[in-house]
Amino acid sequence: MSVIRTPSASPSTARAINDRLALDLLHREGSLTAAQLKTLTGLSRPTVADLVERLQDAGLIEIVGEAGADRRGPNAKLYGIVAERAYLAGLDVRTHGLAVSVADLLGRTRAEASLPFDLDVDTDEAVERAIALLKTTTAEAGATALHTIAVGAPGLVDPATGGLRHAGGLPAWHGKLVDELRRRLAVPVLLENEVNLAAAAEQRLGAARDRDTFVLLWLGFGVGAAVVLDGSLRRGASGGAGEIGFLPMLGPGRLPTATDCDGGFHTLAGSAALCELAREHGIPASADDAAAAEAAIGYAIDSNAEEFLEIVAERIAIGAAAVTAVLDPGCLVLGGEIGRAGGDALAARVSRRLSEISPLRTEVRPGTVGGGAVLEGAVLTAMGAAQDALFTPRG
């Protein structure tokens, strides 16, 4: 890897580019010596010496050890990023509560916590309890302040305002929490749809690490999709790309409306629909929420309930076929509680059913990040934003 210099680059611009390159290498590779930085960047020895001194003075890197104890001569100093230079937080906001993770500048978790809420919780009470939990978790992480916060929540994120658009059935405290965090903490608060954050986690850490184009199909209480094309998350003109719960389904029944996705793909593959189907096949499902659907899928796989699993796979494949017909992503990742519970067994069945109704080659994979995918994605997003702000030294 080497720095690309252009004739028009000023000395300060060249320094900023070189510093960022070195910091990105230290993040990706871990601690490195000056000689290793020289090799990996292609920069001259004096240039590397200057950037090391500059980054140390900025408090971004420090000496973390020595290398070369097994050879003659003085040991080489190992440099690493100062992880405590900034702390960041990820929030996973759900209908029934929220989860918080506070991490350092390298994305390493320092403290986590969660808090359940009743559906009828008072909006102001929920906001106050959520902010108190974030502050407590921040203190437990050893931080006095946060640099960046990323929040994942269901619903549409308005690209014009950066806030949540009102959607039927979602708690009012979601949007107010984001507003209050921005007002009280005076730090960047990034808001993203929860499925998009899960896709970020799968792309960086999970099933889509080798793909720059894929669709994450979220299967839980509701259904949704995240679209990643050529390495970039696509949100759509109004922030609604992937809202496939509203995808109309052919057959009897009413069509979905702008505020109600009943009659859409949600009605076919959401947790309530699959729990009802499970009970029809004698599979335990005591409720209609995502946890009950997750348990029912797991039970069906363990007990080889083939007929039930084939119907589930067919329903999922119907929505998947619509997505692939428009986007042709080549890879479909099954996420959410239902996708996670189904694992390879459900993914294989969906793949087979999809190949029967779509001419497009599409690999179907189960998500591998697990139940914390949204929270992981939030931390990764906050980390990326914090590093962008800190890793670009002013010339």
Side-chain angles (χ1 to χ4, degrees):
M1 181 184 297
S2 61
V3 177
I4 298 176
R5 298 182 178 84
T6 62
S8 59
S10 66
S12 62
T13 299
R15 285 195 296 269
I17 292 172
N18 294 341
D19 289 355
R20 181 59 191 259
L21 176 59
L23 288 163
D24 287 343
L25 283 168
L26 287 166
H27 180 210
R28 185 171 67 249
E29 303 293 336
S31 56
L32 296 169
T33 65
Q36 289 171 325
L37 281 171
K38 175 183 178 297
T39 300
L40 291 170
T41 61
L43 298 171
S44 68
R45 189 181 302 276
T47 299
V48 170
D50 287 344
L51 75 82
V52 165
E53 182 179 1
R54 193 162 53 246
L55 295 177
Q56 282 185 291
D57 290 343
L60 289 171
I61 68 172
E62 61 185 350
I63 299 171
V64 297
E66 293 183 338
D70 57 346
R71 62 175 174 80
R72 294 181 180 180
N75 295 339
K77 296 174 182 178
L78 278 169
Y79 298 95
I81 290 174
V82 180
E84 296 78 15
R85 178 67 170 77
Y87 288 85
L88 47 98
L91 275 68
D92 178 6
V93 178
R94 299 296 183 96
T95 304
H96 297 279
L98 82 158
V100 176
S101 178
V102 176
D104 60 29
L105 187 57
L106 293 176
R108 298 181 301 203
T109 301
R110 296 299 184 95
E112 286 186 334
S114 61
L115 183 65
F117 285 137
D118 294 329
L119 280 175
D120 58 353
V121 66
D122 177 75
T123 296
D124 291 335
E125 177 189 350
V127 169
E128 294 303 323
R129 291 174 63 191
I131 293 177
L133 181 70
L134 175 60
K135 291 181 176 179
T136 300
T137 310
T138 300
E140 290 176 353
T144 57
L146 294 171
H147 182 281
T148 306
I149 301 170
V151 181
L156 295 176
V157 178
D158 191 329
T161 65
L164 278 175
R165 286 177 52 187
H166 175 74
L170 294 178
W173 64 266
H174 286 188
K176 186 169 184 180
L177 172 61
V178 174
D179 293 339
E180 287 299 301
L181 287 173
R182 288 170 172 162
R183 184 178 70 84
R184 298 188 197 183
L185 301 187
V187 301
V189 178
L190 312 175
L191 177 61
E192 186 64 84
N193 174 268
E194 58 176 348
V195 182
N196 288 344
L197 291 181
E202 291 290 353
Q203 186 177 28
R204 182 76 68 86
L205 306 171
R209 281 177 293 180
D210 61 337
R211 292 280 186 167
D212 62 1
T213 295
F214 71 98
V215 168
L216 173 72
L217 188 61
W218 183 268
L219 303 164
F221 176 75
V223 296
V227 179
V228 178
L229 302 178
D230 299 325
S232 298
L233 178 69
R234 303 306 173 96
R235 298 175 178 85
S238 60
E243 289 292 328
I244 62 171
F246 290 89
L247 186 69
M249 294 287 102
L250 295 177
R254 66 183 182 87
L255 292 171
T257 68
T259 58
D260 187 352
C261 56
D262 282 351
F265 184 53
H266 168 83
T267 305
L268 194 65
S271 66
L274 296 189
C275 285
E276 180 181 357
L277 179 66
R279 290 188 287 268
E280 292 173 359
H281 285 78
I283 296 171
S286 58
D288 287 339
D289 57 17
E294 180 180 6
I297 294 293
Y299 180 95
I301 291 173
D302 292 340
S303 60
N304 296 316
E306 193 64 28
E307 183 179 356
F308 168 75
L309 290 172
E310 285 297 326
I311 296 175
V312 171
E314 182 176 29
R315 291 186 177 189
I316 296 172
I318 290 173
V323 171
T324 58
V326 175
L327 298 174
D328 190 16
C331 180
L332 188 73
V333 177
L334 303 184
E337 293 85 353
I338 294 166
R340 181 173 69 249
D344 289 325
L346 181 61
R349 288 174 170 84
V350 172
S351 177
R352 185 177 65 253
R353 297 297 292 168
L354 181 58
S355 68
E356 294 171 353
I357 59 178
S358 172
L360 306 177
R361 292 182 180 178
T362 307
E363 183 180 2
V364 181
R365 304 175 177 179
T368 59
V369 175
V374 175
L375 197 58
E376 289 275 11
V379 169
L380 287 170
T381 298
M383 180 187 71
Q387 289 184 358
D388 281 343
L390 295 171
F391 285 7
T392 306
R394 300 297 179 257

